[in-house]
């Protein structure tokens, strides 16, 4: 197990020399914070001014981190990853920041479509996914979570949000497709959590089909998992949970400082790591009513989950447990785990190039803020390039 994640031949088997060199170039760029800051500003500028740069973005950062511009576009990537590498996909419609009812209805329709794709390829696409703010305005989640009264018009708007959640969850239930619901900023999350809890009560009676997400860089999430477990045991339903570290650390800390409340984020990286490992440990100790999607790019956490599976006699192919990484990152974890017969699924983002730019900016900023991650990616790529004598 010790050297499992060092096998670069397995990790990059699906990448040809040109793709490997592109990955090397991109992670070199991402390792420089000043370049990421400048690139992010330029990318935002191109969105606002409609500069004709989509071809350049498509052939570089987009093709490395995304599956395509639409769901059909992704299928060649899906089939290649599963047939050649044993790694499944989660089709993730990564269009962010929409504000109109028409756009929210379109996101629901896209979620329904990805559930249909998953039903047609249950092994290669075991999950569908959506973001809460894909189905409704961010401010509505905030207001609901704070317990502020809605106007009559807002009440109807909120009902439409809950309706979209239910439509997606019911369709997933009717088609026996696992459905992940992403987590977002802490100050809107309480309202989203309440809806997802109701969906679990409704659709997770026999097994975990609907999955919420716990961001373990929040120091309160371990207790959140424990409280949810008590509710599930008392009411007789299963918990599905994607456990991740989290994606909005800088924004969370900045807002807490500005508003004068205690930051919801763990004090440092070590505390986050401890919290994450405690979360997956708790879930693996309670698999009688829990299903875990262990979303992590951390090798030590991945090894811990493997050890706990062995300790609790959980088979490698037990469908209650998946490892998950993002497409374009941590291939050494994904493909080596899959080769060892574990369930692995990559988040495969897709959408029109311009609409996916905010997602790509966040990916670059995350990689920059987790310096060790980028250096590890570069080391592995360079090892493989030497092995291939590129």
């Amino acid at each position: 197990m010790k050297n499992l994640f060092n096998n670069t031949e397995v990790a990059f088997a699906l990448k040809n020399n040109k793709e490997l060199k592109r990955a090397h170039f991109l992670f070199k760029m991402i390792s420089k914070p000043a370049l990421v800051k400048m690139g992010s500003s330029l990318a935002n500028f191109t969105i606002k001014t409609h500069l004709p740069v989509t071809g350049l973005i498509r052939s570089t950062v987009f093709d490395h981190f995304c599956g395509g511009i639409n769901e059909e576009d992704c299928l060649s990537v899906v089939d290649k990853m599963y047939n050649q590498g044993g790694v499944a996909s989660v089709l993730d419609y990564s269009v962010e920041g929409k504000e109109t009812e028409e756009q929210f209805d379109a996101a629901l329709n896209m979620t329904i479509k990805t559930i249909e794709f998953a039903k047609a390829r249950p092994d290669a696409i075991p999950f569908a996914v959506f973001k809460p703010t894909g189905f409704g305005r961010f401010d509505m989640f905030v207001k609901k979570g704070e317990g502020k009264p809605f106007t009559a018009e807002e009440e109807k708007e909120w009902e439409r949000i809950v309706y979209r959640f239910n439509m997606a969850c019911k369709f997933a239930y009717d088609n026996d497709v696992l459905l992940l619901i992403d987590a977002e900023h802490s100050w809107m999350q309480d309202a989203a959590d309440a809806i997802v809890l109701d969906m679990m009560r409704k659709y997770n009676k026999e097994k975990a089909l609907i999955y919420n997400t716990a961001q373990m860089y929040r120091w309160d999430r371990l207790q959140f998992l424990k409280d949810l477990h008590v509710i599930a045991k008392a009411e007789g339903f299963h918990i599905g949970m994607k456990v991740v570290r989290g994606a909005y650390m800088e924004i969370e800390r900045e807002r807490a400082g500005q508003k004068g409340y205690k930051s919801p984020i763990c004090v440092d990286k070590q505390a986050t790591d401890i919290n994450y490992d405690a979360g997956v440990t708790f879930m693996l100790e309670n698999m009688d009513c829990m299903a875990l999607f262990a979303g992590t790019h951390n090798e030590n956490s991945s090894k811990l989950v493997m050890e706990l599976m062995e300790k609790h006699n959980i088979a490698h192919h037990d469908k209650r447990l998946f490892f998950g990484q993002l497409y374009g990152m941590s291939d050494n974890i994904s493909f080596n785990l899959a080769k060892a017969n574990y369930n692995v699924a990559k988040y495969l983002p897709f959408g029109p190039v311009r609409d996916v730019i905010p997602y790509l900016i966040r990916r670059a900023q995350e990689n920059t803020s987790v310096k060790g991650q980028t250096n590890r990616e570069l080391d592995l790529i360079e090892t493989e390039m030497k092995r291939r004598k590129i």
Side-chain angles (χ1 to χ4, degrees):
M1 191 186 288
K2 193 171 74 171
N3 296 318
L4 178 72
F5 301 132
N6 291 337
N7 189 329
T8 61
E9 186 176 1
V10 170
F12 301 113
L14 271 62
K15 280 185 167 45
N16 61 33
N17 289 356
K18 184 181 175 184
E19 289 165 337
L20 198 62
K21 285 196 272 189
R22 181 183 65 192
H24 185 259
F25 169 77
L26 286 171
F27 281 108
K28 272 282 190 192
M29 296 299 101
I30 289 168
S31 70
K32 298 174 172 62
L35 273 178
V36 170
K37 195 173 181 182
M38 186 172 69
S40 300
S41 300
L42 277 171
N44 280 320
F45 179 72
T46 65
I47 298 172
K48 289 171 187 166
T49 56
H50 300 284
L51 286 173
V53 295
T54 52
L56 175 65
I57 293 169
R58 172 91 207 240
S59 63
T60 53
V61 65
F62 182 93
D63 278 352
H64 181 81
F65 289 111
C66 299
I69 58 171
N70 56 46
E71 63 281 10
E72 285 90 358
D73 210 14
C74 293
L75 289 182
S76 61
V77 179
V78 169
D79 291 339
K80 184 179 180 182
M81 279 207 297
Y82 189 72
N83 295 333
Q84 295 180 36
V87 172
S89 298
V90 182
L91 293 183
D92 180 17
Y93 184 55
S94 297
V95 174
E96 302 179 0
K98 301 304 181 184
E99 287 285 315
T100 70
E101 292 296 301
E102 293 75 20
Q103 289 167 333
F104 299 140
D105 286 339
L108 171 61
N109 291 335
M110 182 58 73
T111 304
I112 296 292
K113 198 180 278 191
T114 57
I115 292 169
E116 289 173 337
F117 267 68
K119 186 188 179 184
R121 284 173 164 79
D123 295 324
I125 312 176
F127 293 88
V129 64
F130 70 87
K131 286 169 74 79
T133 55
F135 286 2
R137 289 191 301 123
F138 186 94
D139 291 346
M140 291 294 291
F141 287 95
V142 176
K143 195 168 184 179
K144 182 70 175 179
E146 290 174 347
K148 292 177 179 174
F150 284 152
T151 64
E153 192 54 47
E154 286 174 334
E155 198 62 58
K156 288 177 186 167
E157 187 179 345
W158 183 253
E159 285 170 8
R160 288 193 294 273
I161 292 171
V162 176
Y163 169 81
R164 291 186 192 105
F165 267 75
N166 188 62
M167 282 290 288
C169 293
K170 184 179 187 305
F171 195 74
Y173 176 82
D174 289 343
N175 289 281
D176 198 27
V177 170
L178 305 174
L179 182 61
L180 300 163
I181 302 170
D182 284 342
E184 300 187 60
H185 302 86
S186 63
W187 61 98
M188 62 73 64
Q189 192 60 43
D190 285 352
D193 287 341
I195 302 177
V196 182
L197 175 56
D198 282 340
M199 297 298 120
M200 285 190 194
R201 284 180 170 125
K202 208 168 180 179
Y203 299 113
N204 284 6
K205 291 287 187 187
E206 296 96 19
K207 63 178 179 179
L209 263 168
I210 310 303
Y211 285 61
N212 201 354
T213 300
Q215 299 186 104
M216 301 308 290
Y217 68 175
R218 286 181 57 175
W219 49 262
D220 66 346
R221 291 295 90 174
L222 181 59
Q223 191 58 51
F224 168 78
L225 279 175
K226 291 178 177 178
D227 292 344
L228 188 59
H229 179 249
V230 171
I231 296 167
K233 292 298 273 187
E235 297 183 22
F237 64 88
H238 292 258
I239 296 163
M241 192 65 64
K242 178 175 64 147
V243 180
V244 298
R245 277 170 170 75
Y248 307 98
M249 185 172 67
E250 284 83 3
I251 299 166
E252 291 281 1
R253 284 188 174 144
E254 192 179 317
R255 186 179 190 269
Q258 287 170 351
K259 300 270 185 182
Y261 60 84
K262 181 181 176 181
S263 171
I265 305 300
C266 292
V267 290
D268 55 24
K269 171 80 164 61
Q270 185 183 10
T272 298
D273 290 343
I274 291 167
N275 207 37
Y276 183 94
D277 291 348
V280 295
T281 300
F282 177 75
M283 288 196 67
L284 283 156
E285 286 169 351
N286 293 281
M287 291 292 277
D288 59 314
C289 70
M290 287 185 158
L292 169 64
F293 186 99
T296 181
H297 293 185
N298 185 291
E299 293 176 18
N300 290 331
S301 291
S302 300
K303 287 173 185 172
L304 174 66
V305 173
M306 294 160 71
E307 287 162 6
L308 288 167
M309 287 176 73
E310 198 170 321
K311 179 182 173 184
H312 297 294
N313 296 312
I314 299 166
H316 286 203
H317 265 311
D318 190 316
K319 293 298 183 186
R320 294 172 300 166
L321 200 152
F322 269 80
F323 292 85
Q325 289 80 40
L326 297 166
Y327 183 68
M329 293 168 61
S330 299
D331 287 346
N332 67 309
I333 296 177
S334 307
F335 289 98
N336 281 302
L337 279 173
K339 191 171 175 62
N341 295 314
Y342 290 93
N343 296 322
V344 186
K346 288 270 205 191
Y347 256 58
L348 189 61
F350 71 95
V353 176
R354 284 186 183 279
D355 289 342
V356 175
I357 285 173
Y359 167 86
L360 292 171
I361 289 171
R362 205 167 75 244
R363 284 286 80 84
Q365 289 170 340
E366 274 178 49
N367 274 283
T368 305
S369 66
V370 187
K371 188 75 175 165
Q373 174 71 35
T374 306
N375 290 341
R376 175 68 168 147
E377 295 277 3
L378 275 169
D379 287 346
L380 290 161
I381 291 166
E382 287 167 1
T383 299
E384 179 60 11
M385 287 170 81
K386 282 175 191 165
R387 193 192 70 81
R388 294 188 192 183
K389 299 182 171 62
I390 296 175

